Amino acid sequence: MASPALASTTHNASPDTAQVEARRVPGKSAAVYYLKGYSKDEIPGVNCLTYWGPLPKAMHDWGWNGPVHHAGYYKGDRNCNAKLAAKDQSVSIRTLGRELAWHIYDNYTSKGRPVKLIGHSMGGLVARAALSGVQRHERGFPKSLWVEDVVTFDTGHQGHNWTDFCGTRQCKDQRRGSSFLKTWAVDNPQGTGGTDWTLLSVDEFPSPDRVTRQSALGMNSNHFVHYKYFQANHGNLPEKVSGDFKFWYQRRGYPVRHVGQGASPGRMADLALFTARW
């Protein structure tokens, strides 16, 4: 059975899982970056420590003991210890990606230490922008990034079709067919030694502003996971850290597998950041 995520998109080659795993630093001591989503608010800003719900604490309980960075984009963001910008939604996703790339390079890559990235919604595109700029050798980006793993929660990798609230730069960057997605964002961008991507999506009631499954799973990856039957939604998918969930998943090159009672989205992120062999 072919994955619906892979059927409609032609992808570049993804690194072999064995190669990525062979270069992985063992254990759970790597720094983890939490990259939040887009704000529709007229005066944007959130508390980064509460945005993710119980996920950061759960990750710590599951053994992650390295530095934790919460990325902030807006002037109104609070408790964000990796402030990539302090303005509003006029800052491009490419710019946020560049600032993220330098934060990672200055604090970790330049010191020979790997990092892990978790992105929710637009946050996944910020991660993609950071790695794309480095891979493309764009001016203003660092020369390299050591990012072992990226997990994206319901990120619109192929864009969205929002129409009623899309006047800002960040919203336009996320629209299907935008110049950012068509000509700048690399499909499956890679860091030093290879980067293992895991894409998570979720069923939702049809609406004009939802991220479709095809978009959330619409980038080349080694791992695809789709949660079913309305047990979660776009907004709270990263907050689900316990319980049994229905989903299907696919590892590149293998058949789709359907699970009736399985790991929560948060637990799946933990697994994906820890190993490429799952």
Side-chain angles (χ1 to χ4, degrees):
M1 177 180 179
S3 166
L6 303 179
S8 61
T9 307
T10 301
H11 297 300
N12 298 327
S14 182
D16 180 77
T17 297
Q19 294 175 337
V20 173
E21 189 70 14
R23 291 188 286 263
R24 185 183 302 271
V25 175
K28 293 185 173 183
S29 61
V32 178
Y33 281 75
Y34 290 86
L35 310 171
K36 65 187 182 67
Y38 174 73
S39 174
K40 303 173 188 175
D41 296 337
E42 184 176 349
I43 301 178
V46 301
N47 185 337
C48 283
L49 295 183
T50 59
Y51 177 92
W52 297 89
L55 180 60
K57 182 181 183 303
M59 292 285 286
H60 182 268
D61 292 343
W62 295 327
W64 292 94
N65 57 11
V68 174
H69 296 285
H70 291 276
Y73 318 140
Y74 307 123
K75 186 177 180 179
D77 285 335
R78 307 176 302 284
N79 297 315
C80 309
N81 59 353
K83 209 66 177 287
L84 307 183
K87 295 184 179 180
D88 55 21
Q89 301 95 329
S90 63
V91 178
S92 71
I93 295 176
R94 181 180 185 275
T95 297
L96 295 177
R98 183 189 67 207
E99 296 306 307
L100 172 63
W102 277 112
H103 197 285
I104 294 170
Y105 181 82
D106 289 341
N107 291 284
Y108 298 101
T109 302
S110 65
K111 300 175 182 178
R113 298 160 64 188
V115 303
K116 316 278 187 172
L117 307 182
I118 298 176
H120 175 226
S121 194
M122 187 185 77
L125 295 181
V126 175
R128 190 171 164 190
L131 285 161
S132 292
V134 173
Q135 183 170 315
R136 289 164 57 107
H137 305 292
E138 292 284 340
R139 175 179 290 185
F141 281 76
K143 60 184 179 181
S144 63
L145 283 184
W146 192 1
V147 177
E148 289 185 329
D149 299 274
V150 183
V151 173
T152 65
F153 286 97
D154 219 33
T155 290
H157 288 291
Q158 290 188 5
H160 59 67
N161 294 314
W162 297 344
T163 57
D164 57 344
F165 50 84
C166 204
T168 70
R169 175 63 184 271
Q170 288 173 10
C171 185
K172 291 176 180 177
D173 280 349
Q174 295 178 78
R175 294 198 70 171
R176 189 179 300 276
S178 72
S179 60
F180 169 75
L181 290 172
K182 285 180 63 177
T183 65
W184 199 85
V186 173
D187 184 23
N188 188 40
Q190 295 292 297
T192 300
T195 301
D196 189 63
W197 287 79
T198 297
L199 314 183
L200 281 69
S201 69
V202 61
D203 273 334
E204 289 193 278
F205 291 105
S207 67
D209 61 342
R210 74 186 177 115
V211 176
T212 65
R213 180 192 67 197
Q214 289 75 18
S215 185
L217 303 181
M219 190 195 76
N220 193 14
S221 170
N222 279 341
H223 309 282
F224 303 88
V225 187
H226 180 66
Y227 283 88
K228 303 167 68 175
Y229 304 124
F230 311 105
Q231 290 180 286
N233 58 48
H234 174 81
N236 67 21
L237 186 65
E239 300 176 20
K240 302 296 184 177
V241 299
S242 62
D244 293 322
F245 286 76
K246 296 180 179 180
F247 59 88
W248 62 254
Y249 73 96
Q250 183 180 33
R251 177 176 161 187
R252 184 170 60 93
Y254 291 81
V256 173
R257 291 191 175 186
H258 293 266
V259 178
Q261 289 185 312
S264 67
R267 191 61 160 165
M268 194 67 74
D270 163 52
L271 175 66
L273 294 186
F274 180 67
T275 178
R277 294 183 180 276
W278 61 278

